[in-house]
Amino acid sequence: MPNDISGLRSAEEAATAAGDRATHFIFAHKIFASLDGYFGLSHEHREPVFFVSFGEMNAALPFATLRREFGIDPESDDGRLLDVVAQGLRYVKEIRPGDSIPRELLDGSASWTVEEVHRRRSTQRIRIQVASYGDGEEMLIFDMAEMARLTSTADFEARYLNGCRKLAGKLGLKRDSDGKTVQRRIDALAREIIYIEALRDRFNKIRAVQRGLGELRRAYSRDPVIRPDIDRALALIRAPMDDFEGVFTNLYAQVSEILLVLMAHGPYIAFIRDSRDELHNGMMRWDGLVTEWENLIPQASQTNENLVKSVYRFLATNYPQAGDWTLVGKLEAQKELRFGNAALAG
């Protein structure tokens, strides 16, 4: 009997571990349990590595080295889980054994939190699009005060429902005379745009670094040492700022015609998620820098000179020659593929 109970417990533990592995980074190899390490991207080449300490020595082991030195078969459970780690590092800065797998990889949803203001902006903007479509002249509004004004008018709800019914007719949804199916699609679209709204606010904080450099340029206008460093940083920061801005502009342009979005609902959702993930991935590396610049006082000081040197090193490392970030190009290629196919499908 004791042996039978022992065997039963082992089976239960194995089943639990297998279940956890579907949602968590549960490794079998003892290296991941015996060492206090974590996965992240290398500082120099931005490749997935395992950061670990051996006594007083710190090491960053590329996955190829990790597999070779510790005998991890690429086709084993641990080997395949390392591939998931590499994908997961697009969404989080570091992963420790036992952490949950990012939701982006599990079900496509975003793993970071959003605020009520983002939910309100997303919902109001899309509902205004639908209501104005019903009126015969579709509008895409970005001013928050104007969105609040338009959605608070006495006839707005009736105009919105009228737009839903018109869209249902254009989509050939004969059984959706009340527009309920269209409303469900619109609500699903709004849930995706919420995360874009949150990323816009996050980008505004990154943009503040560029504005801060401009303010420091004036404060150091006669300094022959610091002023050139500020100018170089300003030259380097322009390309990533333009690229971020370009992605937002392109994304909102693609959802500016609500009928087309609802006609190719699945491809558009996929496009929004791709845009969201690429923006999030590009912004993650800025988080520490943004924190350093949040309380900038634009005057000559040793603290600000250190900030200038820090931001220049960051930009020179991540965006050398001010223009090698290809996010816009990648998204354009995705857009042409998806929406070209959608057009062919009618």
Side-chain angles (χ1 to χ4, degrees):
M1 181 66 69
N3 289 338
D4 291 341
I5 293 175
S6 176
L8 180 59
R9 285 178 178 168
S10 296
E12 289 176 344
E13 290 170 358
T16 300
D20 286 344
R21 195 174 288 118
T23 57
H24 291 71
F25 293 104
I26 305 298
F27 290 91
H29 199 293
K30 62 182 180 181
I31 182 66
F32 300 110
S34 59
L35 297 176
D36 184 21
Y38 67 92
F39 302 100
L41 296 178
S42 64
H43 305 300
E44 185 175 355
H45 300 296
R46 308 292 296 173
E47 65 172 331
V49 298
F50 187 51
F51 291 101
V52 66
S53 298
F54 296 97
E56 296 182 357
M57 183 181 71
N58 296 320
L61 304 176
F63 283 10
T65 302
L66 190 63
R67 290 186 174 103
R68 183 180 64 251
E69 295 299 322
F70 297 98
I72 300 174
D73 187 336
E75 297 304 317
S76 67
D77 287 341
D78 280 1
R80 286 191 288 269
L81 201 53
L82 285 175
D83 293 335
V84 180
V85 169
Q87 297 175 51
L89 289 173
R90 296 181 63 226
Y91 310 107
V92 293
K93 289 183 178 180
E94 66 177 54
I95 293 170
R96 294 182 179 274
D99 283 355
S100 59
I101 296 174
R103 284 163 50 187
E104 289 87 347
L105 298 179
L106 295 176
D107 59 16
S109 60
S111 56
W112 65 91
T113 58
V114 294
E115 298 176 11
E116 180 57 32
V117 63
H118 305 131
R119 197 178 311 279
R120 185 167 60 252
R121 286 204 309 244
S122 174
T123 301
Q124 287 181 339
R125 184 177 297 115
I126 293 175
R127 286 169 66 89
I128 288 170
Q129 271 188 266
V130 174
S132 58
Y133 176 88
D135 295 340
E137 188 174 354
E138 186 172 350
M139 297 187 299
L140 191 63
I141 305 296
F142 289 91
D143 182 80
M144 292 180 64
E146 181 65 3
M147 286 194 293
R149 186 188 70 80
L150 289 172
T151 54
S152 64
T153 57
D155 65 340
F156 179 78
E157 189 66 22
R159 290 171 53 224
Y160 169 69
L161 293 176
N162 177 57
C164 289
R165 288 190 290 269
K166 281 193 174 183
L167 285 165
K170 285 288 186 179
L171 292 169
L173 301 174
K174 296 179 181 179
R175 296 182 179 180
D176 192 32
S177 58
D178 57 357
K180 294 295 185 182
T181 299
V182 168
Q183 289 181 60
R184 285 194 293 270
R185 291 187 187 180
I186 290 168
D187 290 343
L189 181 65
R191 285 194 295 271
E192 301 296 334
I193 297 293
I194 286 170
Y195 294 96
I196 304 300
E197 292 296 324
L199 288 168
R200 283 184 67 203
D201 284 353
R202 190 171 168 186
F203 173 59
N204 287 336
K205 293 182 179 180
I206 296 174
R207 179 72 86 181
V209 176
Q210 185 182 35
R211 291 195 297 270
L213 281 168
E215 293 171 351
L216 288 179
R217 190 176 188 274
R218 290 187 289 274
Y220 284 94
S221 60
R222 298 183 180 180
D223 191 304
V225 177
I226 303 301
R227 171 67 179 270
D229 286 344
I230 295 174
D231 287 341
R232 284 191 287 268
L234 281 167
L236 288 172
I237 203 171
R238 189 175 301 118
M241 294 301 99
D242 289 347
D243 280 346
F244 278 127
E245 196 69 66
V247 176
F248 284 113
T249 300
N250 178 53
L251 193 151
Y252 280 109
Q254 294 307 316
V255 298
S256 63
E257 296 184 53
I258 194 65
L259 176 61
L260 295 181
V261 174
L262 297 179
M263 286 176 64
H265 190 253
Y268 271 95
I269 293 295
F271 173 73
I272 292 169
R273 288 183 171 186
D274 283 348
S275 302
R276 174 202 73 193
D277 292 346
E278 292 291 347
L279 284 165
H280 173 63
N281 180 255
M283 290 180 185
M284 276 198 305
R285 68 188 69 175
W286 289 81
D287 289 346
L289 194 71
V290 165
T291 301
E292 292 176 354
W293 283 73
E294 279 182 339
N295 299 312
L296 175 73
I297 299 175
Q299 62 187 26
S301 69
Q302 185 61 53
T303 297
N304 286 341
E305 290 171 20
N306 291 337
L307 280 179
V308 170
K309 293 175 182 177
S310 174
V311 74
Y312 177 72
R313 284 194 302 270
F314 168 83
L315 292 166
T317 299
N318 290 281
Y319 307 100
Q321 303 307 312
D324 69 343
W325 198 42
T326 57
L327 175 53
V328 172
K330 286 194 289 185
L331 291 180
E332 284 293 333
Q334 293 167 358
K335 177 190 71 176
E336 291 172 7
L337 174 63
R338 287 203 173 94
F339 301 131
N341 290 342
L344 289 174

